[in-house]
Amino acid sequence: MSYPTIYAGTEIRFTGKLPEHDGLGTLADCTGCEVTEDIEGVFELELTYPASGRLFRYLAPDALIRVSLGAMNPFVGSNNQLFRIARTEYRMDGGTPVVTAFAEHLSYDLNYSYTGPITLDDKRPSYLLETMLTNRFSTRDGFTCACSLPADTDYHHWAFEEPYSMREGVLKLAEEFNGEILWDNQDVKIGLYGEDRDFVVEYGGNMASFSRDSDVSEAATGVYIYYKDSKTYSGYSGPFTLADNPYGVTRHRLYNCADDVPSQPMSSNMEDIALAWLRRQEINPKTSITAKVTEVPEGMPIKLYDRVQVAHRVFGVYITARVVRVRYDVLRDRYKELEIGSLPKDIARTIAKMQKGAKG
């Protein structure tokens, strides 16, 4: 059994370092402590503590809680992660006065560290991160950020017209390049951290719930292209269509190529640019699945982003998906729930690039 430890909220600000001592004390009499993390950037803690407890008075907004996430984050450099209390709630629980503390991971402090504005086009996520770091308003926040994602084959248009927080920028960068984020206290890393696991989420077995959604509304099989910026509008060219349209209607889209090219292209190049864009779009129905698991074998080495198998024989679903959300019982050092979701469209290509780079 693992117990949380509480610290003054100023502990890091005054020292500039993560605490290596037990702070104000160990919350050994807390009655519940859970951590939730997902791929959208949520990383939060909920702790319940009796009002009669010795450390009750310290559970207040801004205080820091340190917990061990050994089974949840086996890839984290430091399994002792810090969470800052954002709010507290006093209530009666079966006649017993308790406080519930709702805390956010230390990385949420990056919501108050700013950078930007920025507008550039580049294939390299590491360069975009470097630019964000260079443009920071202050470098005295104690955080380090790194990116190990490979360069993409296509340019990405990166534009923030107003200043923005570093945490917002990190989340957008990971989303743009199919990256995965490792939040390790004040160290933030963007890369690919999921692994293939010999774990099956199966109907009739450990599957607690399942849903599948298939939507054709975003499919694109034809395009009208134009170039429009603040000074120029080219007029449209097209339509240009795919030869292998499987649908009874051609799903034309409008495409402003000013988002992807630095200047107005010649009219003779419009078709090539349009078809190149069209081939990057999704032609098949967009399918997403969600499954939940509440029975995870103790000691199973599985974590956020890991790839698992989902099998539902009634719906004919047999696919590889990934862990998109975890709920973890800190006191018992085990998962309470895993949520499984669809893999991003291009993640296989990104994984292959990183594996190739690792082999040299």
Side-chain angles (χ1 to χ4, degrees):
M1 186 169 284
S2 175
Y3 295 111
T5 306
I6 189 164
Y7 301 84
T10 54
E11 178 71 38
I12 297 175
R13 180 164 64 89
F14 287 157
T15 65
K17 300 178 181 179
L18 299 177
E20 298 180 358
H21 52 82
D22 288 336
L24 301 170
T26 299
L27 300 165
D29 44 353
C30 72
T31 56
C33 184
E34 293 184 6
V35 168
T36 299
E37 184 179 12
D38 70 21
I39 63 172
E40 303 294 333
V42 170
F43 200 179
E44 298 175 355
L45 174 146
E46 182 176 329
L47 178 143
T48 305
Y49 190 81
S52 59
R54 180 176 63 88
L55 301 173
F56 168 77
R57 67 184 183 278
Y58 297 123
L59 284 163
D62 195 55
L64 292 167
I65 297 174
R66 186 183 71 188
V67 297
S68 172
L69 301 178
M72 176 177 166
N73 279 342
F75 62 165
V76 169
S78 168
N79 287 323
N80 289 321
Q81 297 296 305
L82 286 160
F83 294 78
R84 190 180 299 281
I85 297 177
R87 68 182 181 92
T88 56
E89 176 184 277
Y90 294 171
R91 58 185 175 82
M92 297 288 288
D93 186 8
T96 302
V98 299
V99 58
T100 300
F102 301 91
E104 301 167 334
H105 188 257
L106 194 63
S107 63
Y108 280 52
D109 285 3
L110 282 174
N111 285 325
Y112 313 108
S113 179
Y114 298 97
T115 186
I118 180 176
T119 301
L120 58 84
D121 298 274
D122 208 278
K123 300 178 180 180
R124 300 162 297 168
S126 58
Y127 178 70
L128 293 174
L129 178 62
E130 182 183 331
T131 304
M132 278 196 291
L133 293 171
T134 300
N135 291 343
R136 273 191 298 180
F137 290 9
S138 172
T139 59
R140 299 177 63 186
D141 53 28
F143 283 84
T144 63
C145 300
C147 179
S148 60
L149 290 173
D152 203 350
T153 54
D154 300 316
Y155 281 93
H156 291 249
H157 184 63
W158 191 261
F160 278 95
E161 295 182 359
E162 302 290 338
Y164 56 98
S165 77
M166 279 298 300
R167 200 170 199 275
E168 180 184 0
V170 166
L171 288 167
K172 180 174 173 57
L173 183 64
E175 178 186 14
E176 184 77 15
F177 288 90
N178 284 326
E180 299 166 349
I181 305 174
L182 174 62
W183 308 104
D184 184 9
N185 289 321
Q186 291 180 306
D187 295 326
V188 180
K189 299 174 184 176
I190 308 172
L192 287 180
Y193 303 103
E195 300 178 67
D196 294 313
R197 298 294 183 187
D198 185 19
F199 185 74
V200 181
V201 181
E202 188 171 14
Y203 171 72
N206 59 355
M207 185 182 288
S209 66
F210 177 85
S211 66
R212 180 179 185 231
D213 181 78
S214 187
D215 185 355
V216 76
S217 63
E218 295 184 14
T221 56
V223 60
Y224 290 93
I225 185 174
Y226 63 96
Y227 180 93
K228 185 178 186 302
D229 59 19
S230 59
K231 299 179 181 179
T232 306
Y233 172 60
S234 66
Y236 74 87
S237 299
F240 304 110
T241 59
L242 294 175
D244 53 350
N245 178 18
Y247 302 112
V249 60
T250 302
R251 288 178 159 79
H252 292 111
R253 305 297 176 185
L254 295 173
Y255 169 45
N256 180 8
C257 64
D259 294 335
D260 296 323
V261 297
S263 60
Q264 182 176 351
M266 297 175 60
S267 58
S268 58
N269 293 333
M270 287 297 231
E271 181 174 1
D272 289 341
I273 297 172
L275 291 176
W277 177 86
L278 193 56
R279 293 187 192 100
R280 296 196 300 270
Q281 308 311 300
E282 186 59 71
I283 187 173
N284 297 313
K286 182 178 180 180
T287 301
S288 60
I289 67 105
T290 301
K292 289 186 178 180
V293 182
T294 53
E295 296 180 10
V296 181
E298 193 167 355
M300 168 66 70
I302 194 168
K303 61 186 184 299
L304 197 69
Y305 301 115
D306 279 355
R307 296 174 291 278
V308 301
Q309 302 304 307
V310 176
H312 199 301
R313 55 182 172 78
V314 175
F315 293 135
V317 174
Y318 302 92
I319 62 170
T320 299
R322 71 171 174 174
V323 180
V324 298
R325 182 177 179 272
V326 298
R327 192 155 60 96
Y328 185 75
D329 188 328
V330 173
L331 301 184
R332 292 169 179 80
D333 194 23
R334 64 178 300 166
Y335 290 108
K336 292 195 71 172
E337 182 180 84
L338 300 179
E339 184 172 322
I340 315 300
S342 302
L343 285 168
K345 175 185 172 185
D346 296 327
I347 197 166
R349 184 179 66 175
T350 308
I351 292 171
K353 284 182 183 177
M354 291 198 71
Q355 290 174 340
K356 182 179 179 181
K359 293 176 183 177

